Amino acid sequence: MSVTRPASPARFQAARMWSLAASILLAAARVAAADPRASQPTTAVLAPAPPAANPITDDMAPRHRPRIGLVLGGGGAKGAAHVGVLAALEELRVPIDCVVGTSMGALVGGTFAAGRTAHEVEEAIRAISWQEAIARRGLRSKVPMRRKLAGGTYSNGLEFGLRDGGLTAPSGFLSTQNIDLTIQYLVARSRHVTDFDQLPIPFRAVATDMQRGEMVVLSSGNLARAMRASMAVPGIFAPVTIDDRILGDGGLTRNVPIDIARETCADVVIAAAVPNPMPDPADLISPLTLVARTLDVLIGANERQQLETLGPRDVKIVIDMGDIGSASFDRVADAIPLGRAATLAHRAELERYALPEEEYRAWRSARARLPQNPLPLAGVTVQGAQRVNEEFVRHTLGLQAGDVVDSAEIANRINRVFALSDFEAVGYNLTGDPERPTLDVELREKSWGPNILRFDLGFHIGTDENTAFTIGGDFLRAWINERGGEIQGSARVGRTTGLDLALYQPLDAEHRWFVEPGLTLQRSLEDIFADGESVARYQFSHGWGYLDAGRVFGNHTELRAGLRSGGQSVEREIGTPDLPEISGEGYGGIALRLIRDTRDRDVLWQDGTLLRMNYFRGVEGLGAVDDYDRLEAMAVTAVPFGDSVVYLRASGGSSFGAQLPVYDAFTLGGPVSMPGFNVGELRGSNYWSAHAEYLRRIADISYVFGQALYAGLNFTAADIDDRVGLAPDDPVYSTGFVLTGRTPLGPVALSLAFTSESDWQLVFSLGRPIEERAITDPVW
């Protein structure tokens, strides 16, 4: 379980996320338009809950005091204020006989009901890394190398399935993998309890049947799953299916379920709500904010109807959250004291129900559950494997009978399996003997698979010859055989147009050794420069087949070697007739490639190193016109400190004295490889380059997704020999100012660079990066 400290999204991020749930507006409006008290709640096993039944036995609360039900409403990140409510109630010695929660209220309430004290609940909620829980930060270190290499150019995480001639999509915009594991960790002390009346404090979670538009009260089954169902914001998180009912966020039908608390146990209700403040008229202009406000109105309507049912013996705690919004997970720590203060403001009302100190201590002790010690496993089962090889899953999991584990270690191993990228979700249960349980791993392969498609686009607009666009996509069909073979294809259109097709075939059960036959076709428009001015434009075309074999070392290093054979051409498109061309000649040789990638992200990473080395020897026997050697390498690392990060990069290439053919010459130029110069302006047979860049975070866009804007400056030096075209003979330098960041639309950058050749470039880029045909390209 990670304990990273959160930090922050802008308030409009909530509107953006909620807008994705617009497809459920009609159903929500129908439900909210009716009196929610008229809809009969149902349990997860489809049996109606008796309207006046009280399933909590009389001996669970002494008869000299009323039974108290605590109701915690939904509200996203605002619901962290409920942690402060629990702390205040414990401070005032108010006992709780049952808890009912919706959405975030279900998360906090279920954690409390499972046997943690208010102080332990606060510690656990503060310790959650919401970036890991919601946006899967940190997962990249577990992703196999072949997936890292395939994903380097993508500016979004969207993928689709190809089935029956049409596209299908995941049922949720965000994966709930780490959310599920976080909830299991929070309630681990009561993991064997399936009747929620038998928890240390009886509990109910409220969800919505998305098919029938009905409220569903979850009173039994898997506690963590019930809590997750209550939090399943439609369109954002995938719904949860329980007893053939498709369940979504309970706030749509009962955001503050006071009636359910009365039916469960309550003579007296303490209800805590975290409503959104009324917006200013100026905020209700854009379509996105209006959609978000529509949902607020619908949810607020059923919330107010419930609060109006409170009587003089009940306590209503409405918490003013100020500028903390539903998506402000960076401000969880700020929300908790607001809940405590709002609760203590009702001290006089609450003290009516306080117990003497000794009696409260006895009550609290009877309901606490101690943290579980690591347990030895009796065995491990894997369930749900259809296409994926079960033995490979077991190898990746790395657990077997006799291993001693705790919840955090199990979650870490489960995420290793999820990081294989073949699954929609990977969960687990501990069954059998509580002292020596069996670990049941539950796989849910991608429902939109096995044919996976991704799409992306990008462009950059700049001065001189620096304007280009690209549209790209790729196809993956994994597990075409029991060894894990997969067909990989990619296509791109733009300044560089290409097609790649390969069969990646692991040779052993652990996927360490592999072979990969493939085909590459590419055409690119390349300018030739003289003194910084484009004097000709060529079309470079190449195509070859290859056969590689290699070895993977963990999740960070790949070494491969292989053969290439094909052809090349260099055709003049713009320029004087006397400029040379290559109408077509053979290409072939031996290739060796090493890559090591320990970065935490593909773009603007904050930690880690990227190393690349590529060697090619042209061999006449494989089609090359001449024998030649080409070696190129690069190393780049990030040095983070505070809100800043420094990137240091060194690269170089050599032909060992030979003149490289023009289509295989080293290139520099562009906002990444050599800022201030045109794309491909510097070409030659030998070069070195050094680059340093300092960036400071100046604005947060979304804390959860790590989206932020950075500003800084960079300095680059390089020298290139045996040049193609007229280029400076001495080393060249550039310095630049850059505004860049990760945004909801993808990576964005605005750079202004000046060179030692009295030239300058202003470039704006968005989305998929443009290829510079240099080793600094995201995929090379």
Side-chain angles (χ1 to χ4, degrees):
M1 188 65 195
S2 171
V3 293
T4 344
R5 169 79 164 68
S8 96
R11 182 177 174 83
F12 72 81
Q13 182 68 13
R16 185 181 71 83
M17 294 178 64
W18 275 105
S19 69
L20 297 178
S23 60
I24 53 83
L25 281 175
L26 186 58
R30 184 178 67 250
V31 173
D35 184 346
R37 289 168 290 186
S39 64
Q40 291 298 314
T42 55
T43 67
V45 293
L46 306 182
N54 198 339
I56 308 302
T57 57
D58 289 344
D59 60 356
M60 296 190 74
R63 298 312 300 155
H64 70 271
R65 68 172 180 83
R67 289 169 295 191
I68 300 173
L70 177 63
V71 178
L72 302 177
K78 297 181 300 177
H82 296 321
V83 177
V85 174
L86 296 177
L89 293 176
E90 197 151 282
E91 181 180 334
L92 296 173
R93 302 194 305 276
V94 176
I96 302 300
D97 297 295
C98 64
V99 180
V100 181
T102 294
S103 196
M104 190 67 168
L107 179 77
V108 175
T111 303
F112 181 63
R116 292 179 185 260
T117 65
H119 177 69
E120 289 172 329
V121 172
E122 180 171 347
E123 284 186 329
I125 298 298
R126 285 181 181 271
I128 294 173
S129 167
W130 296 100
Q131 287 185 328
E132 292 184 16
I134 296 176
R136 299 187 295 176
R137 181 178 181 182
L139 192 67
R140 193 178 188 275
S141 64
K142 301 179 176 65
V143 172
M145 275 298 291
R146 68 183 187 279
R147 296 284 187 261
K148 287 182 183 179
L149 295 175
T153 62
Y154 280 83
S155 62
N156 63 71
L158 301 179
E159 63 179 33
F160 303 88
L162 181 62
R163 183 183 299 165
D164 300 326
L167 292 179
T168 61
S171 55
F173 180 69
L174 301 177
S175 167
T176 62
Q177 173 68 22
N178 280 356
I179 295 175
D180 295 343
L181 294 176
T182 297
I183 297 173
Q184 285 188 275
Y185 165 78
L186 293 175
V187 301
R189 300 182 188 186
S190 295
R191 58 181 172 82
H192 288 296
V193 178
T194 57
D195 179 352
F196 300 169
D197 286 341
Q198 301 306 312
L199 290 168
I201 300 174
F203 174 70
R204 299 289 185 270
V206 174
T208 298
D209 186 318
M210 300 305 295
Q211 183 179 14
R212 298 178 176 88
E214 298 173 347
M215 176 177 63
V216 175
V217 178
L218 300 165
S219 61
S220 62
N222 184 301
L223 176 59
R225 193 165 179 78
M227 293 161 63
R228 230 287 277 147
S230 184
M231 301 171 62
V233 180
I236 305 299
F237 301 132
V240 175
T241 301
I242 298 178
D243 291 340
D244 297 324
R245 305 190 75 164
I246 301 172
L247 304 182
D249 194 288
L252 298 173
T253 47
R254 201 73 96 251
N255 203 45
V256 184
I258 292 168
D259 55 343
I260 306 307
R262 297 199 194 281
E263 294 166 5
T264 303
C265 83
D267 300 317
V268 170
V269 170
I270 300 173
V274 285
N276 287 322
M278 181 181 297
D280 294 328
D283 295 331
L284 300 177
I285 296 176
S286 75
L288 291 182
T289 55
L290 285 171
V291 169
R293 181 56 182 163
T294 301
L295 289 171
D296 287 345
V297 169
L298 296 175
I299 293 171
N302 77 63
E303 180 176 288
R304 286 192 300 274
Q305 286 174 327
Q306 286 292 299
L307 292 173
E308 288 169 2
T309 68
L310 293 173
R313 301 178 65 200
D314 304 318
V315 181
K316 177 173 68 175
I317 304 170
V318 177
I319 305 168
D320 182 359
M321 301 304 299
D323 60 349
I324 299 177
S326 299
S328 301
F329 288 96
D330 60 315
R331 301 191 61 188
V332 162
D334 298 331
I336 292 173
L338 295 179
R340 179 179 178 276
T343 305
L344 293 178
H346 296 270
R347 178 186 295 269
E349 300 167 72
L350 291 167
E351 285 180 340
R352 295 176 294 178
Y353 308 114
L355 295 179
E357 186 170 342
E358 290 299 323
E359 188 174 336
Y360 182 81
R361 187 179 296 118
W363 174 87
R364 179 68 270 175
S365 177
R367 283 152 182 80
R369 295 292 182 271
L370 295 176
Q372 292 187 330
N373 294 321
L375 297 171
L377 296 176
V380 178
T381 70
V382 176
Q383 305 164 6
Q386 299 175 16
R387 297 180 293 270
V388 180
N389 188 311
E390 179 180 323
E391 290 306 311
F392 179 59
V393 172
R394 287 181 176 274
H395 167 74
T396 304
L397 182 70
L399 292 176
Q400 58 187 352
D403 288 340
V404 179
V405 294
D406 57 14
S407 296
E409 179 60 21
I410 293 174
N412 179 54
R413 300 301 184 97
I414 290 292
N415 262 340
R416 287 188 192 176
V417 178
F418 178 72
L420 297 175
S421 304
D422 297 305
F423 307 104
E424 186 172 347
V426 180
Y428 74 92
N429 276 312
L430 293 171
T431 59
D433 182 359
E435 300 302 319
R436 191 179 175 84
T438 296
L439 175 64
D440 297 328
V441 178
E442 301 173 344
L443 308 176
R444 191 162 80 247
E445 295 182 1
K446 290 179 177 177
S447 58
W448 57 96
N451 301 306
I452 304 298
L453 295 173
R454 296 187 302 173
F455 304 97
D456 204 3
L457 59 88
F459 65 88
H460 71 201
I461 301 173
T463 53
D464 296 341
E465 307 300 325
N466 269 328
T467 295
F469 79 94
T470 183
I471 300 173
D474 67 21
F475 169 81
L476 172 68
R477 174 63 187 264
W479 292 96
I480 61 174
N481 53 48
E482 66 177 11
R483 283 292 191 192
E486 55 190 46
I487 298 172
Q488 305 167 340
S490 66
R492 55 207 176 276
V493 177
R495 183 172 188 147
T496 299
T497 298
L499 176 68
D500 300 284
L501 184 64
L503 169 64
Y504 183 92
Q505 180 60 63
L507 299 177
D508 59 328
E510 292 79 18
H511 290 200
R512 291 174 298 185
W513 295 93
F514 67 89
V515 295
E516 182 180 298
L519 174 69
T520 293
L521 303 172
Q522 182 167 296
R523 183 186 66 192
S524 61
L525 297 176
E526 306 282 340
D527 291 306
I528 303 299
F529 293 85
D531 297 324
E533 298 294 332
S534 175
V535 295
R537 173 165 291 182
Y538 283 84
Q539 178 177 284
F540 284 30
S541 301
H542 68 237
W544 65 71
Y546 66 89
L547 176 63
D548 285 352
R551 172 73 155 86
V552 175
F553 300 89
N555 297 318
H556 48 69
T557 305
E558 179 189 274
L559 174 65
R560 64 166 65 200
L563 306 177
R564 308 276 186 274
S565 184
Q568 303 268 10
S569 68
V570 179
E571 300 176 353
R572 184 180 62 253
E573 284 204 343
I574 301 174
T576 59
D578 59 329
L579 291 174
E581 290 185 291
I582 301 175
S583 58
E585 66 181 33
Y587 175 81
I590 300 169
L592 177 68
R593 187 178 81 177
L594 173 69
I595 183 168
R596 178 178 174 82
D597 186 349
T598 62
R599 298 173 296 168
D600 59 351
R601 290 190 178 100
D602 289 308
V603 178
L604 290 174
W605 70 95
Q606 304 295 296
D607 185 54
T609 298
L610 176 64
L611 302 175
R612 289 173 172 170
M613 187 278 290
N614 191 25
Y615 170 75
F616 179 79
R617 177 167 179 79
V619 178
E620 290 187 37
L622 292 171
V625 174
D626 297 303
D627 292 347
Y628 65 92
D629 295 283
R630 184 184 193 276
L631 175 66
E632 189 173 21
M634 179 193 73
V636 56
T637 190
V639 183
F641 55 97
D643 290 336
S644 303
V645 61
V646 171
Y647 298 99
L648 302 174
R649 185 183 75 218
S651 62
S654 176
S655 63
F656 303 99
Q659 181 75 39
L660 293 177
V662 64
Y663 50 74
D664 227 358
F666 300 115
T667 62
L668 290 174
V672 177
S673 62
M674 192 69 199
F677 288 85
N678 297 288
V679 173
E681 182 173 338
L682 306 177
R683 299 173 185 268
S685 295
N686 298 277
Y687 84 96
W688 62 262
S689 175
H691 175 88
E693 185 167 42
Y694 167 79
L695 294 177
R696 180 176 178 82
R697 190 173 76 244
I698 59 172
D700 287 314
I701 299 173
S702 168
Y703 153 72
V704 168
F705 296 100
Q707 294 169 351
L709 292 178
Y710 296 80
L713 50 87
N714 55 52
F715 176 80
T716 310
D719 192 14
I720 193 161
D721 297 326
D722 300 320
R723 294 171 173 81
V724 176
L726 297 177
D729 293 328
D730 298 322
V732 292
Y733 307 93
S734 73
T735 185
F737 304 92
V738 62
L739 177 65
T740 185
R742 293 181 296 270
T743 76
L745 298 177
V748 63
L750 177 66
S751 64
L752 175 63
F754 301 87
T755 76
S756 56
E757 304 306 302
S758 301
D759 201 359
W760 61 276
Q761 296 286 343
L762 177 66
V763 177
F764 173 77
S765 62
L766 176 66
R768 184 184 178 98
I770 304 299
E771 293 183 42
E772 298 178 8
R773 289 175 54 85
I775 198 171
T776 53
D777 284 346
V779 169
W780 134 100

